[in-house]
Amino acid sequence: MSYTYDYPHPAVTTDIVVFTVENDTLKVLLIQRKVAPYKGQWALPGGFVRIEESIDACAGRELEEETGVKGIFLEQLYTFGDPNRDPRERVISVSYYALMPLDDVDIKPGTDSADVGWFDVDTLPTLAFDHEKIISVARDRLTAKMNYSTVGLMFMPEEFTLSEVQSLYETVSGGSRDKRNFRKWLLALGIVEETGEKKVEGAHRPAMLYRLKDKTDVMIIK
Amino acid sequence: MSYTYDYPHPAVTTDIVVFTVENDTLKVLLIQRKVAPYKGQWALPGGFVRIEESIDACAGRELEEETGVKGIFLEQLYTFGDPNRDPRERVISVSYYALMPLDDVDIKPGTDSADVGWFDVDTLPTLAFDHEKIISVARDRLTAKMNYSTVGLMFMPEEFTLSEVQSLYETVSGGSRDKRNFRKWLLALGIVEETGEKKVEGAHRPAMLYRLKDKTDVMIIK
DNA sequence: TCAAAAGTGTTAAGACTACACCCATGT
DNA sequence: ACATGGGTGTAGTCTTAACACTTTTGA
């Protein structure tokens, strides 16, 4: 079957930048391409928008199909459309980004991808298409948002300690923060609460565990 | 001539939201459609992306063709792609927005538009497609940016008085501001300078005229 | 008892807010 | 001389930044 139009139409894809934090480094989720072009190279998960599917739905579907990650909150980032960004045909890519705790979902390659993995954003392999550029824009947006919202908490698992949150903020937005001021700030926001449990780990005083009061409510502007 | 693909392709358009301020009201630039669908109705300027043209270039070209406005700074806003937003076929729209001083360019309808005009954003006519939604998103973005950047100055003509800037800020982001504090804030940013001229207008003390030190440099974050 | 991270308040500096009167001009 | 918008400084409040020691635990 084929589809005919009076004027040339571009193809439209979504590409998804998923960030996480592991061992005090910011990482991004990549897949290894199984097909040409850029066969064997690493790329962002993503794919073509179906004709009866919304762009948001496409992003969620492609992410799940190619990496096994599902149900995370995706936000539209930017639309890239330079005429030669894809060697096959004119392709316009609507990019999305998301943040997730590392242990939330098991990642596994789909049928279109040979492999899936987390990569340190500062030492990425050579990437397919203009995906390096897309990741760079996503990272800038993330860094900016860290400074005027509570997005950072989307990296945290169900339960966490205040020191873990601080360490995460230091990793993602760079620089170090004063421990007392950081805790005052976070607690004053009123979006976390003590679980009553403690995290025992190593030869030192155990830390109080906290959780988000309302999981969806992350995003309050400072 | 026709164009054939193995899979269905959506069409891609740009739509441009141009804001200005006139008589203490925020206005948006609309065109009246000359052709179906929504023939005779008001809509955002915009049109189909050509196959060898970047999306940014398309936005600039369509704006000029349909309204006569050219050379203004366009920023990508959001990509709208609900499957049924256009009755003809699947159309994905990459939206842009811009701010301009009212007297900068003469607006004139192009060949595809019956008329062009500025409309008060609070009392818009019924609009074609989902353009009301697009304007609403653009307005939210504008209002937000007014609070952490100096975008507002993009509404000003070459030379302006401080009272005019203040009045503009009050119009766009709502509420009134203290005159002395507003002037202190704006002057402390160091992005405007006196021209040495004064604006004589009516039976009162003439106001000092100012200009931007660096026209491109607007956008400093507070 | 030592090492290691958790936890906890106060003070100083800077930013923001509120506020009222005189000035230059045209009629 | 009066009506109109232009122009100017200070004091109080609130916010942010800097800073160091005690606690709890495991080894």
Short mmCIF file of all heavy atoms in Angstrom, two decimals, chain A residues 1-12 49-56 76 78-84 89-90 92 94, chain B residues 1-12 49-56 76 78-83 89-90 92 94:
data_model
loop_
_atom_site.label_atom_id
_atom_site.label_comp_id
_atom_site.label_asym_id
_atom_site.label_seq_id
_atom_site.Cartn_x
_atom_site.Cartn_y
_atom_site.Cartn_z
N MET A 1 0.84 -1.20 0.00
CA MET A 1 0.00 0.00 0.00
C MET A 1 0.87 1.24 0.00
O MET A 1 1.95 1.27 0.57
CB MET A 1 -0.86 0.00 1.26
CG MET A 1 -1.81 1.18 1.33
SD MET A 1 -3.50 0.69 1.80
CE MET A 1 -4.32 2.27 1.75
N SER A 2 0.37 2.28 -0.69
CA SER A 2 1.14 3.51 -0.70
C SER A 2 0.22 4.72 -0.55
O SER A 2 -1.00 4.61 -0.72
CB SER A 2 1.96 3.61 -1.98
OG SER A 2 1.10 3.84 -3.07
N TYR A 3 0.80 5.83 -0.25
CA TYR A 3 0.04 7.04 0.09
C TYR A 3 0.54 8.20 -0.75
O TYR A 3 1.74 8.45 -0.81
CB TYR A 3 0.18 7.33 1.58
CG TYR A 3 -0.34 6.18 2.40
CD1 TYR A 3 0.47 5.08 2.68
CD2 TYR A 3 -1.65 6.18 2.85
CE1 TYR A 3 -0.01 4.00 3.40
CE2 TYR A 3 -2.16 5.10 3.57
CZ TYR A 3 -1.34 4.02 3.84
OH TYR A 3 -1.84 2.96 4.54
N THR A 4 -0.39 8.88 -1.39
CA THR A 4 -0.03 9.89 -2.37
C THR A 4 -0.60 11.26 -1.99
O THR A 4 -1.73 11.36 -1.54
CB THR A 4 -0.56 9.46 -3.75
OG1 THR A 4 0.01 8.20 -4.06
CG2 THR A 4 -0.17 10.47 -4.81
N TYR A 5 0.23 12.26 -2.19
CA TYR A 5 -0.18 13.63 -1.87
C TYR A 5 0.17 14.56 -3.02
O TYR A 5 1.10 14.28 -3.79
CB TYR A 5 0.53 14.12 -0.60
CG TYR A 5 0.37 13.20 0.59
CD1 TYR A 5 1.29 12.18 0.84
CD2 TYR A 5 -0.71 13.35 1.45
CE1 TYR A 5 1.14 11.33 1.93
CE2 TYR A 5 -0.87 12.50 2.55
CZ TYR A 5 0.06 11.50 2.78
OH TYR A 5 -0.09 10.68 3.85
N ASP A 6 -0.53 15.69 -3.10
CA ASP A 6 -0.26 16.67 -4.15
C ASP A 6 1.03 17.44 -3.90
O ASP A 6 1.64 17.97 -4.81
CB ASP A 6 -1.41 17.69 -4.23
CG ASP A 6 -2.65 17.05 -4.83
OD1 ASP A 6 -2.53 15.97 -5.44
OD2 ASP A 6 -3.74 17.63 -4.67
N TYR A 7 1.38 17.54 -2.64
CA TYR A 7 2.62 18.23 -2.29
C TYR A 7 3.49 17.31 -1.46
O TYR A 7 2.97 16.43 -0.78
CB TYR A 7 2.31 19.51 -1.49
CG TYR A 7 1.54 20.51 -2.31
CD1 TYR A 7 0.14 20.55 -2.27
CD2 TYR A 7 2.22 21.40 -3.15
CE1 TYR A 7 -0.56 21.46 -3.05
CE2 TYR A 7 1.52 22.31 -3.93
CZ TYR A 7 0.13 22.34 -3.88
OH TYR A 7 -0.55 23.25 -4.65
N PRO A 8 4.80 17.49 -1.49
CA PRO A 8 5.67 16.61 -0.69
C PRO A 8 5.41 16.83 0.79
O PRO A 8 5.20 17.95 1.23
CB PRO A 8 7.07 17.06 -1.08
CG PRO A 8 6.93 18.41 -1.69
CD PRO A 8 5.57 18.46 -2.29
N HIS A 9 5.40 15.76 1.55
CA HIS A 9 5.18 15.82 2.99
C HIS A 9 6.42 15.32 3.72
O HIS A 9 6.99 14.31 3.33
CB HIS A 9 4.01 14.92 3.39
CG HIS A 9 2.66 15.52 3.12
ND1 HIS A 9 2.38 16.24 2.00
CD2 HIS A 9 1.51 15.50 3.86
CE1 HIS A 9 1.11 16.64 2.04
NE2 HIS A 9 0.56 16.20 3.16
N PRO A 10 6.80 15.99 4.78
CA PRO A 10 7.90 15.45 5.59
C PRO A 10 7.39 14.28 6.43
O PRO A 10 6.18 14.14 6.62
CB PRO A 10 8.27 16.63 6.49
CG PRO A 10 7.03 17.46 6.58
CD PRO A 10 6.29 17.27 5.29
N ALA A 11 8.29 13.48 6.92
CA ALA A 11 7.93 12.51 7.95
C ALA A 11 8.08 13.18 9.29
O ALA A 11 8.86 14.13 9.44
CB ALA A 11 8.84 11.29 7.86
N VAL A 12 7.33 12.71 10.27
CA VAL A 12 7.43 13.29 11.61
C VAL A 12 7.73 12.19 12.62
O VAL A 12 7.07 11.15 12.63
CB VAL A 12 6.14 14.03 12.02
CG1 VAL A 12 6.25 14.58 13.43
CG2 VAL A 12 5.83 15.15 11.04
N VAL A 49 5.61 9.07 13.91
CA VAL A 49 4.26 9.33 14.41
C VAL A 49 3.26 8.65 13.49
O VAL A 49 3.31 8.84 12.28
CB VAL A 49 3.98 10.85 14.45
CG1 VAL A 49 2.52 11.12 14.86
CG2 VAL A 49 4.94 11.56 15.39
N ARG A 50 2.38 7.87 14.06
CA ARG A 50 1.34 7.23 13.25
C ARG A 50 0.27 8.25 12.90
O ARG A 50 0.05 9.21 13.61
CB ARG A 50 0.73 6.05 14.02
CG ARG A 50 1.75 4.95 14.23
CD ARG A 50 1.15 3.79 14.97
NE ARG A 50 2.17 2.76 15.19
CZ ARG A 50 2.03 1.74 16.03
NH1 ARG A 50 0.90 1.61 16.71
NH2 ARG A 50 3.01 0.86 16.18
N ILE A 51 -0.43 7.96 11.82
CA ILE A 51 -1.31 8.98 11.25
C ILE A 51 -2.52 9.29 12.13
O ILE A 51 -3.09 10.37 12.06
CB ILE A 51 -1.71 8.59 9.80
CG1 ILE A 51 -2.05 9.84 8.98
CG2 ILE A 51 -2.84 7.58 9.79
CD1 ILE A 51 -0.87 10.74 8.68
N GLU A 52 -2.89 8.34 13.00
CA GLU A 52 -4.06 8.59 13.85
C GLU A 52 -3.69 8.72 15.33
O GLU A 52 -4.52 8.50 16.20
CB GLU A 52 -5.09 7.47 13.66
CG GLU A 52 -5.89 7.57 12.37
CD GLU A 52 -6.76 8.83 12.31
OE1 GLU A 52 -6.96 9.50 13.35
OE2 GLU A 52 -7.23 9.16 11.20
N GLU A 53 -2.44 9.05 15.57
CA GLU A 53 -1.94 9.03 16.95
C GLU A 53 -1.45 10.43 17.31
O GLU A 53 -0.80 11.07 16.50
CB GLU A 53 -0.78 8.02 16.96
CG GLU A 53 0.11 8.01 18.14
CD GLU A 53 1.31 7.09 17.88
OE1 GLU A 53 2.15 7.39 16.99
OE2 GLU A 53 1.42 6.08 18.58
N SER A 54 -1.75 10.89 18.49
CA SER A 54 -1.24 12.20 18.91
C SER A 54 0.28 12.12 19.11
O SER A 54 0.83 11.03 19.28
CB SER A 54 -1.90 12.67 20.19
OG SER A 54 -1.36 11.98 21.29
N ILE A 55 0.94 13.27 19.09
CA ILE A 55 2.39 13.25 19.22
C ILE A 55 2.81 12.75 20.60
O ILE A 55 3.75 11.98 20.74
CB ILE A 55 2.99 14.65 18.99
CG1 ILE A 55 2.25 15.40 17.88
CG2 ILE A 55 4.46 14.55 18.61
CD1 ILE A 55 2.83 16.77 17.62
N ASP A 56 2.07 13.20 21.61
CA ASP A 56 2.37 12.74 22.97
C ASP A 56 2.28 11.22 23.06
O ASP A 56 3.13 10.56 23.67
CB ASP A 56 1.36 13.34 23.96
CG ASP A 56 1.56 14.85 24.16
OD1 ASP A 56 2.48 15.42 23.54
OD2 ASP A 56 0.80 15.44 24.93
N GLN A 76 7.14 17.94 26.38
CA GLN A 76 7.65 18.31 25.07
C GLN A 76 8.79 19.31 25.22
O GLN A 76 8.72 20.22 26.04
CB GLN A 76 6.54 18.91 24.20
CG GLN A 76 6.89 18.88 22.73
CD GLN A 76 5.89 19.63 21.86
OE1 GLN A 76 6.12 20.76 21.47
NE2 GLN A 76 4.77 19.00 21.57
N TYR A 78 11.31 20.48 22.22
CA TYR A 78 11.59 21.36 21.09
C TYR A 78 11.39 20.54 19.82
O TYR A 78 11.50 19.32 19.85
CB TYR A 78 13.03 21.86 21.16
CG TYR A 78 13.30 23.06 20.29
CD1 TYR A 78 12.92 24.34 20.70
CD2 TYR A 78 13.90 22.92 19.04
CE1 TYR A 78 13.15 25.44 19.90
CE2 TYR A 78 14.14 24.03 18.23
CZ TYR A 78 13.76 25.28 18.68
OH TYR A 78 13.98 26.37 17.88
N THR A 79 11.13 21.23 18.72
CA THR A 79 10.97 20.52 17.46
C THR A 79 12.12 20.87 16.53
O THR A 79 12.38 22.04 16.28
CB THR A 79 9.61 20.88 16.84
OG1 THR A 79 8.59 20.43 17.73
CG2 THR A 79 9.43 20.21 15.49
N PHE A 80 12.80 19.83 16.07
CA PHE A 80 13.97 19.99 15.23
C PHE A 80 13.59 19.65 13.80
O PHE A 80 13.03 18.59 13.54
CB PHE A 80 15.10 19.08 15.70
CG PHE A 80 15.58 19.42 17.08
CD1 PHE A 80 14.93 18.94 18.21
CD2 PHE A 80 16.66 20.28 17.26
CE1 PHE A 80 15.36 19.28 19.49
CE2 PHE A 80 17.10 20.61 18.52
CZ PHE A 80 16.45 20.12 19.64
N GLY A 81 13.96 20.53 12.87
CA GLY A 81 13.49 20.26 11.51
C GLY A 81 14.41 20.74 10.42
O GLY A 81 13.94 21.12 9.36
N ASP A 82 15.71 20.71 10.66
CA ASP A 82 16.60 21.09 9.57
C ASP A 82 16.41 20.11 8.41
O ASP A 82 16.27 18.91 8.63
CB ASP A 82 18.06 21.08 10.04
CG ASP A 82 18.40 22.36 10.77
OD1 ASP A 82 17.57 23.30 10.74
OD2 ASP A 82 19.48 22.42 11.38
N PRO A 83 16.43 20.62 7.20
CA PRO A 83 16.08 19.78 6.05
C PRO A 83 16.95 18.53 5.89
O PRO A 83 16.49 17.53 5.37
CB PRO A 83 16.26 20.72 4.86
CG PRO A 83 16.04 22.09 5.42
CD PRO A 83 16.59 22.03 6.81
N ASN A 84 18.19 18.58 6.37
CA ASN A 84 19.05 17.43 6.13
C ASN A 84 19.42 16.62 7.37
O ASN A 84 20.44 15.95 7.40
CB ASN A 84 20.32 17.88 5.42
CG ASN A 84 19.98 18.55 4.11
OD1 ASN A 84 19.27 17.99 3.29
ND2 ASN A 84 20.45 19.78 3.92
N GLU A 89 15.00 10.91 4.18
CA GLU A 89 14.01 11.83 3.63
C GLU A 89 13.91 12.98 4.61
O GLU A 89 14.57 13.00 5.65
CB GLU A 89 12.66 11.14 3.49
CG GLU A 89 12.06 10.68 4.81
CD GLU A 89 10.66 10.08 4.67
OE1 GLU A 89 9.86 10.61 3.90
OE2 GLU A 89 10.38 9.07 5.37
N ARG A 90 13.09 13.96 4.30
CA ARG A 90 12.89 15.07 5.23
C ARG A 90 12.15 14.56 6.47
O ARG A 90 11.02 14.06 6.36
CB ARG A 90 12.05 16.16 4.56
CG ARG A 90 11.69 17.33 5.48
CD ARG A 90 12.87 18.23 5.68
NE ARG A 90 12.70 19.22 6.72
CZ ARG A 90 12.12 20.40 6.57
NH1 ARG A 90 11.63 20.76 5.42
NH2 ARG A 90 12.04 21.24 7.59
N ILE A 92 11.06 15.62 10.44
CA ILE A 92 10.94 16.61 11.51
C ILE A 92 10.74 15.85 12.81
O ILE A 92 9.89 14.97 12.90
CB ILE A 92 9.76 17.55 11.21
CG1 ILE A 92 10.14 18.46 10.03
CG2 ILE A 92 9.38 18.37 12.44
CD1 ILE A 92 9.01 19.27 9.46
N VAL A 94 9.91 15.87 16.82
CA VAL A 94 9.39 16.54 18.01
C VAL A 94 10.03 15.84 19.21
O VAL A 94 9.82 14.65 19.42
CB VAL A 94 7.86 16.43 18.10
CG1 VAL A 94 7.34 17.21 19.29
CG2 VAL A 94 7.21 16.92 16.81
N MET B 1 1.74 17.07 -10.56
CA MET B 1 2.76 16.23 -9.90
C MET B 1 2.24 15.73 -8.56
O MET B 1 1.49 16.40 -7.87
CB MET B 1 4.02 17.07 -9.70
CG MET B 1 5.16 16.31 -9.06
SD MET B 1 6.72 16.49 -9.96
CE MET B 1 7.77 15.44 -9.02
N SER B 2 2.65 14.51 -8.22
CA SER B 2 2.23 14.01 -6.92
C SER B 2 3.38 13.28 -6.24
O SER B 2 4.38 12.93 -6.88
CB SER B 2 1.03 13.08 -7.08
OG SER B 2 1.43 11.90 -7.74
N TYR B 3 3.23 13.03 -4.97
CA TYR B 3 4.31 12.49 -4.16
C TYR B 3 3.78 11.29 -3.38
O TYR B 3 2.74 11.38 -2.74
CB TYR B 3 4.82 13.57 -3.21
CG TYR B 3 5.34 14.75 -3.98
CD1 TYR B 3 4.48 15.75 -4.43
CD2 TYR B 3 6.70 14.84 -4.31
CE1 TYR B 3 4.96 16.82 -5.18
CE2 TYR B 3 7.18 15.90 -5.06
CZ TYR B 3 6.31 16.88 -5.50
OH TYR B 3 6.79 17.92 -6.25
N THR B 4 4.52 10.21 -3.46
CA THR B 4 4.04 8.95 -2.92
C THR B 4 4.99 8.39 -1.86
O THR B 4 6.21 8.46 -2.02
CB THR B 4 3.88 7.93 -4.07
OG1 THR B 4 2.96 8.48 -5.01
CG2 THR B 4 3.36 6.61 -3.56
N TYR B 5 4.42 7.86 -0.81
CA TYR B 5 5.21 7.30 0.29
C TYR B 5 4.65 5.94 0.68
O TYR B 5 3.47 5.67 0.47
CB TYR B 5 5.16 8.23 1.50
CG TYR B 5 5.56 9.65 1.20
CD1 TYR B 5 4.61 10.61 0.83
CD2 TYR B 5 6.89 10.05 1.29
CE1 TYR B 5 4.98 11.92 0.55
CE2 TYR B 5 7.27 11.36 1.01
CZ TYR B 5 6.30 12.29 0.65
OH TYR B 5 6.67 13.57 0.37
N ASP B 6 5.49 5.12 1.28
CA ASP B 6 5.05 3.80 1.73
C ASP B 6 4.16 3.88 2.96
O ASP B 6 3.39 2.97 3.23
CB ASP B 6 6.27 2.93 2.09
CG ASP B 6 7.01 2.51 0.83
OD1 ASP B 6 6.41 2.61 -0.26
OD2 ASP B 6 8.18 2.10 0.94
N TYR B 7 4.35 4.91 3.75
CA TYR B 7 3.53 5.10 4.94
C TYR B 7 2.86 6.45 4.87
O TYR B 7 3.39 7.37 4.24
CB TYR B 7 4.39 5.00 6.20
CG TYR B 7 5.00 3.64 6.37
CD1 TYR B 7 6.27 3.34 5.88
CD2 TYR B 7 4.26 2.62 6.98
CE1 TYR B 7 6.81 2.07 6.01
CE2 TYR B 7 4.79 1.34 7.12
CZ TYR B 7 6.06 1.07 6.63
OH TYR B 7 6.58 -0.19 6.76
N PRO B 8 1.72 6.62 5.51
CA PRO B 8 1.05 7.93 5.49
C PRO B 8 1.90 8.98 6.20
O PRO B 8 2.53 8.68 7.22
CB PRO B 8 -0.26 7.68 6.24
CG PRO B 8 -0.07 6.42 7.00
CD PRO B 8 0.93 5.61 6.24
N HIS B 9 1.96 10.16 5.65
CA HIS B 9 2.74 11.26 6.23
C HIS B 9 1.80 12.39 6.62
O HIS B 9 0.92 12.75 5.84
CB HIS B 9 3.75 11.79 5.21
CG HIS B 9 4.98 10.95 5.07
ND1 HIS B 9 4.96 9.58 5.05
CD2 HIS B 9 6.29 11.31 4.95
CE1 HIS B 9 6.20 9.12 4.91
NE2 HIS B 9 7.03 10.15 4.84
N PRO B 10 2.01 12.96 7.78
CA PRO B 10 1.23 14.14 8.12
C PRO B 10 1.76 15.35 7.34
O PRO B 10 2.88 15.33 6.85
CB PRO B 10 1.50 14.33 9.61
CG PRO B 10 2.82 13.69 9.84
CD PRO B 10 2.94 12.58 8.84
N ALA B 11 0.94 16.39 7.22
CA ALA B 11 1.46 17.67 6.74
C ALA B 11 2.00 18.44 7.95
O ALA B 11 1.58 18.19 9.08
CB ALA B 11 0.35 18.45 6.07
N VAL B 12 2.96 19.31 7.70
CA VAL B 12 3.51 20.11 8.79
C VAL B 12 3.39 21.60 8.45
O VAL B 12 3.77 22.01 7.35
CB VAL B 12 4.98 19.76 9.07
CG1 VAL B 12 5.54 20.64 10.19
CG2 VAL B 12 5.12 18.29 9.45
N VAL B 49 5.12 23.85 5.65
CA VAL B 49 6.57 23.82 5.56
C VAL B 49 6.98 23.21 4.22
O VAL B 49 6.50 22.13 3.86
CB VAL B 49 7.18 22.97 6.70
CG1 VAL B 49 8.68 22.84 6.55
CG2 VAL B 49 6.83 23.57 8.06
N ARG B 50 7.83 23.91 3.50
CA ARG B 50 8.29 23.37 2.23
C ARG B 50 9.35 22.29 2.47
O ARG B 50 10.04 22.30 3.48
CB ARG B 50 8.88 24.49 1.38
CG ARG B 50 7.80 25.48 0.95
CD ARG B 50 8.39 26.58 0.09
NE ARG B 50 7.33 27.53 -0.25
CZ ARG B 50 7.56 28.73 -0.77
NH1 ARG B 50 8.80 29.15 -0.96
NH2 ARG B 50 6.55 29.54 -1.06
N ILE B 51 9.47 21.43 1.52
CA ILE B 51 10.26 20.22 1.76
C ILE B 51 11.76 20.51 1.92
O ILE B 51 12.48 19.74 2.54
CB ILE B 51 9.97 19.16 0.65
CG1 ILE B 51 10.25 17.75 1.19
CG2 ILE B 51 10.76 19.45 -0.62
CD1 ILE B 51 9.25 17.28 2.22
N GLU B 52 12.22 21.63 1.40
CA GLU B 52 13.65 21.93 1.52
C GLU B 52 13.92 23.16 2.40
O GLU B 52 14.94 23.82 2.26
CB GLU B 52 14.24 22.18 0.12
CG GLU B 52 14.51 20.92 -0.67
CD GLU B 52 15.54 19.99 -0.01
OE1 GLU B 52 16.24 20.43 0.91
OE2 GLU B 52 15.60 18.82 -0.42
N GLU B 53 12.99 23.44 3.26
CA GLU B 53 13.05 24.68 4.05
C GLU B 53 13.05 24.34 5.53
O GLU B 53 12.29 23.47 5.96
CB GLU B 53 11.80 25.49 3.67
CG GLU B 53 11.48 26.67 4.52
CD GLU B 53 10.09 27.22 4.13
OE1 GLU B 53 9.07 26.52 4.30
OE2 GLU B 53 10.04 28.36 3.64
N SER B 54 13.88 25.01 6.31
CA SER B 54 13.85 24.74 7.75
C SER B 54 12.55 25.28 8.34
O SER B 54 11.89 26.13 7.74
CB SER B 54 15.05 25.39 8.44
OG SER B 54 14.84 26.77 8.58
N ILE B 55 12.20 24.79 9.53
CA ILE B 55 10.94 25.23 10.14
C ILE B 55 11.00 26.71 10.49
O ILE B 55 10.04 27.45 10.28
CB ILE B 55 10.62 24.42 11.41
CG1 ILE B 55 11.03 22.95 11.26
CG2 ILE B 55 9.14 24.47 11.72
CD1 ILE B 55 10.71 22.15 12.49
N ASP B 56 12.14 27.14 11.00
CA ASP B 56 12.30 28.55 11.34
C ASP B 56 12.09 29.43 10.11
O ASP B 56 11.41 30.45 10.16
CB ASP B 56 13.71 28.83 11.88
CG ASP B 56 13.94 28.21 13.25
OD1 ASP B 56 12.99 27.60 13.80
OD2 ASP B 56 15.06 28.34 13.78
N GLN B 76 10.45 29.57 18.90
CA GLN B 76 9.56 28.42 18.84
C GLN B 76 8.82 28.26 20.16
O GLN B 76 9.42 28.43 21.23
CB GLN B 76 10.35 27.15 18.51
CG GLN B 76 9.47 26.03 17.99
CD GLN B 76 10.22 24.71 17.83
OE1 GLN B 76 10.11 23.82 18.66
NE2 GLN B 76 10.99 24.59 16.77
N TYR B 78 5.66 25.75 20.76
CA TYR B 78 5.18 24.42 21.09
C TYR B 78 4.69 23.78 19.79
O TYR B 78 4.35 24.48 18.85
CB TYR B 78 4.01 24.52 22.08
CG TYR B 78 3.69 23.21 22.77
CD1 TYR B 78 4.46 22.77 23.84
CD2 TYR B 78 2.63 22.42 22.35
CE1 TYR B 78 4.18 21.57 24.47
CE2 TYR B 78 2.34 21.21 22.98
CZ TYR B 78 3.12 20.80 24.04
OH TYR B 78 2.85 19.60 24.67
N THR B 79 4.65 22.45 19.77
CA THR B 79 4.16 21.75 18.58
C THR B 79 2.84 21.07 18.90
O THR B 79 2.77 20.28 19.84
CB THR B 79 5.21 20.76 18.08
OG1 THR B 79 6.37 21.50 17.72
CG2 THR B 79 4.70 19.99 16.87
N PHE B 80 1.83 21.41 18.13
CA PHE B 80 0.48 20.90 18.34
C PHE B 80 0.19 19.84 17.30
O PHE B 80 0.40 20.07 16.11
CB PHE B 80 -0.54 22.03 18.22
CG PHE B 80 -0.37 23.07 19.29
CD1 PHE B 80 0.53 24.11 19.14
CD2 PHE B 80 -1.10 22.99 20.47
CE1 PHE B 80 0.70 25.06 20.13
CE2 PHE B 80 -0.93 23.94 21.47
CZ PHE B 80 -0.02 24.98 21.30
N GLY B 81 -0.29 18.69 17.74
CA GLY B 81 -0.45 17.63 16.76
C GLY B 81 -1.60 16.68 17.02
O GLY B 81 -1.51 15.51 16.67
N ASP B 82 -2.67 17.15 17.61
CA ASP B 82 -3.81 16.26 17.78
C ASP B 82 -4.30 15.80 16.40
O ASP B 82 -4.34 16.59 15.47
CB ASP B 82 -4.94 16.98 18.51
CG ASP B 82 -4.70 16.97 20.01
OD1 ASP B 82 -3.78 16.25 20.45
OD2 ASP B 82 -5.41 17.68 20.73
N PRO B 83 -4.66 14.53 16.30
CA PRO B 83 -4.97 13.97 14.98
C PRO B 83 -6.08 14.71 14.23
O PRO B 83 -6.09 14.71 13.01
CB PRO B 83 -5.38 12.53 15.29
CG PRO B 83 -4.69 12.22 16.56
CD PRO B 83 -4.65 13.49 17.34
N GLU B 89 -6.67 17.02 6.53
CA GLU B 89 -5.80 15.85 6.67
C GLU B 89 -5.08 16.00 8.00
O GLU B 89 -5.26 16.99 8.70
CB GLU B 89 -4.77 15.79 5.51
CG GLU B 89 -3.84 16.99 5.47
CD GLU B 89 -2.76 16.89 4.38
OE1 GLU B 89 -2.23 15.79 4.16
OE2 GLU B 89 -2.44 17.92 3.77
N ARG B 90 -4.24 15.06 8.32
CA ARG B 90 -3.47 15.16 9.54
C ARG B 90 -2.45 16.28 9.40
O ARG B 90 -1.56 16.20 8.54
CB ARG B 90 -2.74 13.84 9.83
CG ARG B 90 -1.80 13.87 11.03
CD ARG B 90 -2.59 13.80 12.32
NE ARG B 90 -1.81 14.10 13.51
CZ ARG B 90 -1.12 13.21 14.20
NH1 ARG B 90 -1.07 11.96 13.82
NH2 ARG B 90 -0.46 13.58 15.28
N ILE B 92 0.32 18.70 11.56
CA ILE B 92 1.04 19.01 12.79
C ILE B 92 1.56 20.43 12.67
O ILE B 92 2.17 20.79 11.67
CB ILE B 92 2.18 17.99 12.98
CG1 ILE B 92 1.58 16.64 13.35
CG2 ILE B 92 3.16 18.47 14.04
CD1 ILE B 92 2.56 15.48 13.34
N VAL B 94 3.86 23.51 14.12
CA VAL B 94 4.92 24.01 14.99
C VAL B 94 4.65 25.50 15.18
O VAL B 94 4.69 26.27 14.22
CB VAL B 94 6.30 23.80 14.35
CG1 VAL B 94 7.39 24.22 15.31
CG2 VAL B 94 6.48 22.35 13.93
#
